[in-house]
């Protein structure tokens, strides 16, 4: 009798447990909202998207630098022209001092003179070296820069065709190593000082000829990541000209506040 009673109790317990499980499932089904399975999957996916960490947008720095400049230093950026619609630019302390928007950029050599003590722009001028004899006026402009001046020079289109020897001597006297190597439609940027020495280690000059650039396209990649290019059409040949960028986040030792 005892084994039969035990078996009966097990059967009753199983039935009771099944009823409880069914009722619990019924209650749970009533509590869950009736939504399509796709909506539930979308909700899970959106929750996962919210968990993705995104980096904050970097704060814009002076003259589009990647990092901020140290205190009491100047930020600058020199960009040579790369075609009819890619004008040369000179930015100093986050102010465009030569460029298309300022209306003072043109074919040839573009020059800006800045007082390094105060950071104020003294003069800007461009000198057409293709359509006019402007080497003389440019030489006088350079030689007329006062002491304690920063001089920024960039080319747009062509800066060498009618550049005479006296003008080259005046620029070479300021420390240029590439002025005598410039060819037709070379791209060139140059930073120099008059009446004082720039700190050592600052990149002061870049030059690249159109012919060298054409060869580099077919023979291999460009060596400098700061050079970009743009197609420019001439009456007889298609050239790819450099747009050179010379930029430094600071001029060490040159204080913005005297």
């Amino acid at each position: 009798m005892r084994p039969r009673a035990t078996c009966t109790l097990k059967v009753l317990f199983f039935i009771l447990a099944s009823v409880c499980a069914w009722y619990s499932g019924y209650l749970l089904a009533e509590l869950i909202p009736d939504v399509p399975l796709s909506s539930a999957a979308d909700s899970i996916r959106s929750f996962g998207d919210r968990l993705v960490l995104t980096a904050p947008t970097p704060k814009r720095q002076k003259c589009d630098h990647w990092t901020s400049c140290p205190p009491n230093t100047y930020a600058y950026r020199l960009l040579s022209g790369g075609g009819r619609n890619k004008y040369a630019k000179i930015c100093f302390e986050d102010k465009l001092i030569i460029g298309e928007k300022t209306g003072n950029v043109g074919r040839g050599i573009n020059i800006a003179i800045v007082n390094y003590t105060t950071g104020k722009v003294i003069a800007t001028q461009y000198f057409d070296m293709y359509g006019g004899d402007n080497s003389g006026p440019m030489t006088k402009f350079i030689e007329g820069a006062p002491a304690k001046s920063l001089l920024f020079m960039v080319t747009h289109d062509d800066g060498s065709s009618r550049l005479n020897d006296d003008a080259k001597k005046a620029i070479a006297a300021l420390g240029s190593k590439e002025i005598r190597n410039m060819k037709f439609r070379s791209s060139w940027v140059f930073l120099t000082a008059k009446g004082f020495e720039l700190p050592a280690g600052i990149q002061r000059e870049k030059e690249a000829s159109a012919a060298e650039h054409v060869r580099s396209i077919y023979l291999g990649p460009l060596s400098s990541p700061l050079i970009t290019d743009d197609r420019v059409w001439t009456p007889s040949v298609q050239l790819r000209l450099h747009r050179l960028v010379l930029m430094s986040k600071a001029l060490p030792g040159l204080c913005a506040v005297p």
Side-chain angles (χ1 to χ4, degrees):
M1 295 296 292
R2 182 172 297 175
R4 184 178 297 178
T6 303
C7 184
T8 302
L9 288 174
K10 288 182 179 180
V11 171
L12 291 175
F13 179 78
F14 176 76
I15 294 173
L16 181 62
S18 299
V19 171
C20 291
W22 172 82
Y23 188 68
S24 297
Y26 172 78
L27 291 178
L28 183 62
E30 289 295 323
L31 293 174
I32 296 176
D34 187 14
V35 296
L37 184 60
S38 59
S39 299
D42 290 339
S43 299
I44 295 173
R45 190 180 300 112
S46 63
F47 178 74
D49 292 339
R50 289 196 295 270
L51 293 179
V52 176
L53 297 178
T54 57
T57 303
K59 182 181 179 182
R60 184 187 174 279
Q61 305 297 337
K62 291 181 179 179
C63 293
D64 296 325
H65 287 298
W66 302 289
T67 57
S68 60
C69 292
N72 298 326
T73 54
Y74 289 132
Y76 62 92
R77 183 173 189 244
L78 281 66
L79 177 65
S80 67
R84 296 191 183 114
N85 297 319
K86 300 287 186 179
Y87 289 94
K89 295 178 182 179
I90 298 177
C91 176
F92 183 78
E93 278 298 279
D94 211 29
K95 180 181 179 182
L96 186 67
I97 58 178
I98 285 183
E100 182 182 12
K101 291 182 179 180
T102 53
N104 59 347
V105 64
R107 180 175 63 186
I109 298 179
N110 296 259
I111 305 176
I113 302 174
V114 176
N115 184 311
Y116 102 97
T117 303
T118 63
K120 293 183 178 180
V121 178
I122 298 173
T124 63
Q125 185 68 45
Y126 66 87
F127 300 90
D128 190 347
M129 291 297 155
Y130 182 81
D133 185 10
N134 294 304
S135 288
M138 186 184 72
T139 302
K140 291 181 180 178
F141 183 79
I142 293 171
E143 292 176 345
K148 306 294 184 181
S149 294
L150 291 168
L151 286 87
F152 303 95
M153 305 184 192
V154 295
T155 57
H156 179 72
D157 193 2
D158 177 46
S160 64
S161 291
R162 305 192 71 173
L163 184 66
N164 66 24
D165 195 58
D166 288 340
K168 291 179 181 179
K169 287 180 180 179
I171 295 174
L174 293 172
S176 173
K177 306 297 184 184
E178 301 292 343
I179 191 64
R180 295 189 179 278
N181 298 327
M182 286 178 58
K183 300 176 179 64
F184 176 65
R185 283 190 166 176
S186 288
S187 279
W188 176 69
V189 290
F190 180 48
L191 162 65
T192 188
K194 188 173 182 180
F196 68 99
E197 291 292 330
L198 289 174
I202 289 180
Q203 185 181 22
R204 307 184 187 197
E205 190 173 25
K206 267 189 179 183
E207 186 273 339
S209 70
E212 288 173 344
H213 196 183
V214 170
R215 287 198 299 271
S216 71
I217 290 168
Y218 296 104
L219 297 181
L222 295 170
S223 60
S224 173
L226 295 181
I227 297 178
T228 59
D229 39 69
D230 179 65
R231 288 190 180 274
V232 178
W233 291 90
T234 64
S236 58
V237 65
Q238 175 181 292
L239 301 177
R240 291 177 66 88
L241 300 184
H242 287 196
R243 295 195 80 205
L244 299 182
V245 180
L246 179 61
M247 59 192 297
S248 171
K249 69 176 184 179
L251 290 176
L254 301 185
C255 296
V257 179

